[in-house]
Amino acid sequence: MTVQQRATLEDVARLAGVSSKTVSRVFTHRDLVAPETVERVLGAAKRLRFRPNPLARNLRRGGPTNTIGFIMGELNNPFYYKLAAGIERELSSHGFSLVVATTDDTAEGEERVADALLGQRLGALLLIPVADDQSYLEGERHLGTPVIAIDRPARNLVADSIVLENHRGVFDATTRLLERGHRRIGYICNPASVYTQAERLRGYRDALAAYGIRDSSAWERLEDDLSRPADGLIADLLDRDDAPTAVITGNNRVTIDALRVLRDLHDDGRTALVGFDDFDTADVLGVTVISYDPLALGKAAATLAIERMQDPAGFTRQLEMPTWIVERGTGERTPAERTTA
């Protein structure tokens, strides 16, 4: 197949018998051009399959485009693509388009991807911070590009952020397990050092402390290596003589690993399990989860970006989106069921 070159604005002008400025005006301020000229230019553009380039036009003017950038982690995580869907739906309803880039949840990729996107003169940049420092975006913010941090606040950067009620979600889940009689409650997460997990771990510890349990280190398994499956952490925890009667997992990937380990250990429903993040088959498997609406989170982030573009000098805000517990069976088991099985 022979690939044809794209028609240019000058090609349309020649075919329509008008100047390049007239063609440009047809696509930007059509009301200023005579109707018959508009018809002739649009006819020529259709014959040549010409598409105007709003990005190039805005770059020539030195201003931002109507494109919003979103930097997220790995594509195979349902949380990320549902979040992106919520952002896109809200932006498109206001005439904005979305361009998405991924970092594979690595700090090294974040700044590189951000630089590539910002070269397109974005109207705003939304990102899920991975690196320990986002100060490299401060100069861009001073140039008028709003930055919205999602799921985790930005570090060393004045920016709006929207996060989940991480602390309250895990605090409530741990409290429910305590109310059912559990006292040995494990907590497993990977990664452990990111903001979301730090807040969830704090909620777990605060709930235990409220019941007089001050040291939970023996039942915590915290890891910061995404290449390492959580299976070993979970098996090690459940192999203790004083193994937990209940386990809370910090995200959906660890929850799935926990289900595999419990199956392989023939646990037969003795250990209570509550996972943070819902996932597609959790209802079928009867897994109790701490849930939230990722589409609503994305929509709220997009709304925050639009508001910031309209009011760039306003006070920055950190918003929290609600979480709630969905009881499906695994989180409602009692310690007695474990000891008598």
Side-chain angles (χ1 to χ4, degrees), residues 174-254:
T174 307
T175 300
R176 289 197 188 194
L177 291 170
L178 289 162
E179 289 172 346
R180 290 188 168 95
H182 294 279
R183 291 299 180 269
R184 300 196 305 273
I185 302 173
Y187 188 86
I188 307 161
C189 64
N190 182 17
S193 62
V194 296
Y195 166 86
T196 50
Q197 291 300 336
E199 285 296 291
R200 293 169 194 176
L201 182 60
R202 188 169 66 86
Y204 158 79
R205 289 172 175 170
D206 285 350
L208 292 179
Y211 271 70
I213 303 171
R214 302 292 177 183
D215 184 7
S216 55
S217 57
W219 305 316
E220 295 174 8
R221 294 296 182 272
L222 314 177
E223 179 62 67
D224 270 309
D225 183 0
L226 288 174
S227 67
R228 179 182 178 186
D231 306 47
L233 299 174
I234 300 161
D236 174 69
L237 180 63
L238 295 178
D239 193 44
R240 294 175 57 92
D241 291 335
D242 59 344
T245 58
V247 170
I248 298 174
T249 51
N251 58 41
N252 50 13
R253 287 176 297 195
V254 179

Side-chain angles (χ1 to χ4, degrees), residues 127-201:
L127 82 158
I128 299 176
V130 179
D132 291 333
D133 184 6
Q134 281 74 47
S135 61
Y136 65 91
L137 292 171
E138 186 66 20
E140 191 68 30
R141 189 185 69 85
H142 281 292
L143 291 173
T145 305
V147 179
I148 311 297
I150 307 175
D151 195 44
R152 309 158 189 169
R155 296 182 180 180
N156 302 319
L157 176 72
V158 178
D160 296 295
S161 62
I162 182 163
V163 300
L164 297 171
E165 288 182 333
N166 294 289
H167 177 275
R168 190 183 70 82
V170 176
F171 182 93
D172 289 350
T174 307
T175 300
R176 289 197 188 194
L177 291 170
L178 289 162
E179 289 172 346
R180 290 188 168 95
H182 294 279
R183 291 299 180 269
R184 300 196 305 273
I185 302 173
Y187 188 86
I188 307 161
C189 64
N190 182 17
S193 62
V194 296
Y195 166 86
T196 50
Q197 291 300 336
E199 285 296 291
R200 293 169 194 176
L201 182 60

Side-chain angles (χ1 to χ4, degrees), residues 247-251 255 273-278 287-291 330:
V247 170
I248 298 174
T249 51
N251 58 41
T255 304
L273 173 66
V274 180
F276 204 108
D277 299 327
D278 211 343
V287 181
T288 298
V289 297
I290 303 163
S291 188
T330 60

Side-chain angles (χ1 to χ4, degrees), residues 281-314:
T281 56
D283 57 336
V284 178
L285 298 172
V287 181
T288 298
V289 297
I290 303 163
S291 188
Y292 51 88
D293 188 344
L295 290 172
L297 177 62
K299 179 179 178 180
T303 300
L304 193 56
I306 293 170
E307 291 175 352
R308 178 56 63 202
M309 285 188 286
Q310 295 169 344
D311 181 21

Side-chain angles (χ1 to χ4, degrees), residues 45 194 322 328 336 340:
V194 296
R328 297 191 178 117
T340 57

